[in-house]
Amino acid sequence: MNAQNKALDELCINTIRFLSVDAVQQANSGHPGMPMGAAPMAYVLWTKYMRHSPRNPGWPDRDRFVLSAGHGSMLIYSLLHLCGYDLSLAELKNFRQWKSKTPGHPEYGDTPGIETTTGPLGQGFATGVGMAIAERHLAAKYNRPGHEIIDHFTYGIVSDGDLMEGISHEAASLAGHLKLGKLIYFYDDNHISIEGKTDIAFTENRLQRFAAYGWHVQQVDNGNDLEAIEKALAAARSKTEHPSLIAVRTSIGFGSPNRQDTAKAHGEPLGEEERKLTKENLGWPLEPTFHVPDEALAHFRKSVDRGQDHEQSWTSSFRNYLTDYPEEGARFEKQLKGELPHSWDKDIPVFPADAKGKATRVTSGVVLNAIARNVPALMGGSADLAPSNKTLIDNENSFQAGTYDQRNIHFGVREFCMTAVLNGMALHGGFIPYGGTFLIFSDYMRPAIRLACLMKQHVIYVLTHDSIGLGEDGPTHQPIEHLASLRAMPNLTVLRPADANETAEAWKFAVKSNKGPTLLALTRQSLPTLDRSIFGPAELLHRGAYVLKDVDGTPDALILASGSEVKLALEAAETLAKDGTAARVISMPSWELFDAQSEDYKNSVLPAHVTARVAIEAGVTQGWHKYVGKHGKVIGLDHFGASAPINDLFTNFGITAESVVQAVQDLINR
């Protein structure tokens, strides 16, 4: 490297550093230390290796970049601005302010070039694994000899905090097993966290840990050694059967005379005096702030032309692919655009009335397979519970190293990792990913479900064994508070179908809905398949709640229920009718969908003048009072379950038709 090139590299790296320092200082909030230390590795990656197109951030075969250490957001904002993305210097000056494109942590959809929302540590790591899975599957499915239309890397920068979080262990283990060789992470090994030096809590050999997971590991001893970083990157890219971790020994807050290598550089501005001293130390002008030297900007902006060249080359290659493989090319385009094939739902059965019926988890498996036959984008699996969740796609083998074209993913007992991986697949594009486990284990999934909601990603959760109805496994496995807590999450649609045909409609909604994730809460126990010539049509599930069984004239009472308790509501209404009490039964599979309906529709289902209302659900009663009103009653469980046969549990806990009958009579007679 000649002296002129070395000087330009140093100028560019310091531009990244001081844009980050100035933005954090102006906001009086943020994390300057990580960008200051990690700027060299990021500079090498973004300007010398990554294939990206600043003028078209979404072209399909771009390399993906995940800043898992999302607290260092000014690092990526500086890179995006300098490389020519639609992120102005004014936005950098507006860091962490109202309606800016530079929020405190990177948020997908807010900022051009941000591939995923990060900040909760470890999740970016696992999301990148999902992106790498997506790349491998599409490549195996669509590439042909001489036509590699999908061939890109997933890169990331991860921190000590990412590697401390348990999800990184789950995701690293899975990635190593799957031999995701096009996944490359820089580890910003700066030995500092908020409480001080990491050796107060984090002393294992990280490289040995990742080697044990099947990763290719390297160490760069000096985070400012650009030649060593380039050499490590080149070696990582050549390891096609192993994901790579490059541990780069950096100094947090590099260049700061009094903050470098201290916890104070992590989570607070340098302060005016220290900013001045740091600029003097690194030979940077004190004024103006947000200084971008012309020579540095010109060098970074070469990314625009390079990106357009990459994109145009890919577009030309894809045209040739369309000529040679028109059917596959058309299918590929539709899949990437998220377009459902014509008549995608044609094989979904209408289930005949059946008093014995089936568990909704069983009918869910039937419907899943009916859809999967016609929707190649549907791909997923379970956290080691596929036989129970019924989440296997028939006539497909396992997604494994060597069989990346298959759609059944085995996530292992890794619910958190699974959920974040699904996010990565959805963000990559070309997938409607789904994942299954028991509803109780949504506790392990919540942080990644929350990010899916925040990013409004098209992800489906198939969560079975949804109540005390799983019986003898006892309170450790019986979800009680989970429906209420999940319903509290913005942008998540929770669907708890009452029978086979509601389950089919729930799947239709989940596949079509691309405004956020959908959760299917399904039973272990069999439920009768309702006779829809007598009861309201199952298609009304899409309205969230509907009149399942009505009465002549004005009802005396309303009985609301979801899922397995709908049959109890129907039994109660039948008993009440014998005594001359006219009770309307409302199936309410989704609060979110019902709340989105017009006031006229809601009033038609829940007429305001009928105040004798009872809701029944085998979970906590929280939230149901919104629908039954202050004069109504909710039958549920505001306590944990027990280990016993299912019928004993429902009887002893009062989740019965008899309890509903008594509650209705009490309300009418009060």
Side-chain angles (χ1 to χ4, degrees):
M1 183 183 295
N2 63 44
Q4 185 177 3
N5 289 341
K6 185 175 181 180
L8 178 59
D9 288 340
E10 186 174 343
L11 184 72
C12 291
I13 290 166
N14 282 335
T15 302
I16 297 170
R17 285 174 170 145
F18 286 109
L19 282 176
S20 302
V21 167
D22 287 341
V24 171
Q25 190 63 45
Q26 180 153 306
N28 197 29
S29 174
H31 302 256
M34 182 271 183
M36 295 168 74
M41 70 176 87
Y43 166 73
V44 169
L45 176 62
W46 277 68
T47 63
K48 300 184 181 183
Y49 281 89
M50 254 179 63
R51 292 194 315 159
H52 59 111
S53 183
R55 294 292 185 259
N56 183 15
W59 73 284
D61 201 34
R62 69 193 182 278
D63 290 336
R64 272 54 170 184
F65 176 78
V66 175
L67 184 66
S68 192
H71 55 273
S73 57
M74 269 311 305
L75 175 68
I76 192 168
Y77 297 151
S78 299
L79 287 163
L80 291 170
H81 167 70
L82 293 168
C83 288
Y85 285 78
D86 183 19
L87 191 68
S88 68
L89 191 61
E91 290 290 354
L92 269 60
K93 294 177 180 179
N94 209 26
F95 178 55
R96 290 189 165 219
Q97 304 308 302
W98 176 250
K99 291 190 175 180
S100 76
K101 291 183 180 179
T102 50
H105 293 83
E107 293 186 31
Y108 174 80
D110 280 6
T111 314
I114 296 297
E115 299 281 6
T116 181
T117 297
T118 55
L121 291 173
Q123 287 205 56
F125 187 113
T127 300
V129 173
M131 293 176 179
I133 286 172
E135 190 275 344
R136 288 291 76 200
H137 178 75
L138 289 176
K141 201 81 172 176
Y142 289 106
N143 286 356
R144 299 292 182 270
H147 295 280
E148 294 191 341
I149 57 170
I150 289 293
D151 184 17
H152 57 262
F153 286 84
T154 300
Y155 297 104
I157 295 179
V158 304
S159 65
D160 289 298
D162 289 297
L163 299 194
M164 290 185 209
E165 286 286 358
I167 187 174
S168 72
H169 297 250
E170 296 179 25
S173 175
L174 181 63
H177 166 74
L178 293 174
K179 300 185 177 181
L180 299 176
K182 303 189 81 173
L183 177 67
I184 300 174
Y185 285 159
F186 280 117
Y187 165 31
D188 179 26
D189 185 15
N190 62 42
H191 292 198
I192 295 292
S193 61
I194 290 175
E195 293 185 359
K197 292 188 180 297
T198 54
D199 62 10
I200 61 174
F202 190 44
T203 53
E204 77 263 22
N205 188 311
R206 274 79 86 183
L207 296 187
Q208 287 183 8
R209 187 226 298 182
F210 275 81
Y213 287 144
W215 286 55
H216 174 243
V217 296
Q218 300 176 82
Q219 187 160 0
V220 174
D221 293 328
N222 180 356
N224 293 306
D225 187 341
L226 303 191
E227 290 184 8
I229 291 169
E230 287 192 51
K231 183 179 177 181
L233 258 177
R237 285 164 57 92
S238 71
K239 298 296 181 181
T240 58
E241 292 192 352
H242 301 278
S244 286
L245 184 77
I246 304 170
V248 183
R249 183 69 175 96
T250 62
S251 291
I252 195 168
F254 178 83
S256 170
N258 301 300
R259 295 287 182 91
Q260 181 176 317
D261 294 324
T262 71
K264 278 189 170 294
H266 176 81
E268 60 185 61
L270 295 183
E272 290 293 352
E273 181 62 24
E274 190 66 17
R275 173 167 66 166
K276 175 185 174 184
L277 293 173
T278 304
K279 288 184 175 182
E280 290 174 343
N281 188 38
L282 294 180
W284 200 255
L286 300 183
E287 296 294 340
T289 56
F290 296 93
H291 174 55
V292 179
D294 291 341
E295 189 179 1
L297 185 62
H299 183 65
F300 276 111
R301 289 292 162 90
K302 290 178 182 177
S303 298
V304 174
D305 290 338
R306 281 197 303 268
Q308 289 176 334
D309 288 344
H310 288 314
E311 186 180 353
Q312 287 168 7
S313 176
W314 182 85
T315 301
S316 176
S317 297
F318 186 63
R319 286 198 198 101
N320 294 333
Y321 180 89
L322 282 170
T323 299
D324 292 349
Y325 301 98
E327 185 177 332
E328 291 90 338
R331 191 165 64 245
F332 174 80
E333 284 188 303
K334 274 194 167 187
Q335 187 168 339
L336 276 192
K337 290 177 182 176
E339 296 178 4
L340 290 171
H342 180 67
S343 300
W344 64 273
D345 55 353
K346 63 185 175 65
D347 293 331
I348 297 177
V350 174
F351 295 91
D354 180 359
K356 182 179 179 182
K358 288 183 170 62
T360 53
R361 65 173 173 142
V362 173
T363 49
S364 169
V366 173
V367 176
L368 163 64
N369 274 279
I371 297 170
R373 285 195 289 273
N374 302 307
V375 181
L378 193 64
M379 179 176 176
S382 175
D384 197 49
L385 288 168
S388 290
N389 300 148
K390 311 301 179 186
T391 48
L392 289 174
I393 299 176
D394 298 337
N395 302 315
E396 291 267 352
N397 291 319
S398 300
F399 178 89
Q400 297 284 337
T403 55
Y404 290 134
D405 59 327
Q406 301 300 302
R407 288 191 284 168
N408 287 314
I409 305 176
H410 302 283
F411 291 102
V413 187
R414 304 182 182 103
E415 290 88 356
F416 192 1
C417 166
M418 172 183 73
T419 315
V421 164
L422 299 179
N423 290 346
M425 293 172 67
L427 288 159
H428 180 280
F431 295 88
I432 304 173
Y434 68 88
T437 185
F438 293 170
L439 179 60
I440 189 76
F441 300 133
S442 62
D443 284 338
Y444 293 141
M445 302 167 65
R446 279 189 69 89
I449 293 176
R450 187 175 188 274
L451 284 193
C453 292
L454 191 60
M455 296 186 286
K456 299 181 180 178
Q457 287 304 293
H458 193 179
V459 179
I460 301 171
Y461 311 116
V462 184
L463 303 188
T464 67
H465 298 59
D466 70 342
S467 74
I468 57 170
L470 68 88
E472 291 87 346
D473 278 343
T476 61
H477 282 54
Q478 292 166 2
I480 300 301
E481 73 279 19
H482 298 73
L483 286 169
S485 67
L486 290 162
R487 285 166 176 156
M489 197 175 293
N491 301 332
L492 177 64
T493 301
V494 178
L495 293 166
R496 189 170 185 244
D499 75 343
N501 288 305
E502 275 197 12
T503 303
E505 294 300 328
W507 264 106
K508 289 180 187 178
F509 174 86
V511 170
K512 288 190 296 183
S513 176
N514 58 6
K515 304 299 183 185
T518 301
L519 187 152
L520 310 181
L522 306 169
T523 65
R524 175 182 182 268
Q525 72 272 30
S526 294
L527 301 179
T529 303
L530 302 176
D531 185 346
R532 296 294 170 165
S533 67
I534 299 172
F535 300 112
E539 305 92 86
L540 289 175
L541 168 137
H542 297 265
R543 307 198 77 167
Y546 64 99
V547 178
L548 181 65
K549 180 182 184 297
D550 212 352
V551 298
D552 294 329
T554 301
D556 298 315
L558 308 178
I559 304 175
L560 296 73
S562 77
S564 53
E565 287 67 69
V566 167
K567 70 173 185 175
L568 302 180
L570 289 170
E571 291 171 11
E574 187 175 346
T575 300
L576 287 164
K578 293 175 183 176
D579 293 332
T581 301
R584 170 185 288 182
V585 176
I586 294 121
S587 177
M588 198 166 192
S590 174
W591 294 7
E592 299 81 23
L593 294 183
F594 184 66
D595 289 347
Q597 302 304 309
S598 68
E599 289 302 314
D600 285 346
Y601 179 77
K602 287 188 277 191
N603 288 331
S604 73
V605 176
L606 303 176
H609 61 276
V610 182
T611 59
R613 303 181 182 190
V614 175
I616 179 170
E617 186 174 67
V620 297
T621 59
Q622 180 179 338
W624 276 104
H625 291 88
K626 176 179 180 180
Y627 305 105
V628 300
K630 63 181 180 180
H631 300 298
K633 180 173 177 58
V634 184
I635 297 170
L637 283 87
D638 290 316
H639 53 77
F640 293 116
S643 177
I646 176 174
N647 291 334
D648 291 347
L649 290 171
F650 276 87
T651 299
N652 283 290
F653 289 141
I655 312 296
T656 64
E658 291 76 15
S659 296
V660 176
V661 169
Q662 187 63 56
V664 169
Q665 291 173 340
D666 290 346
L667 290 173
I668 289 174
N669 296 327
R670 68 180 169 204

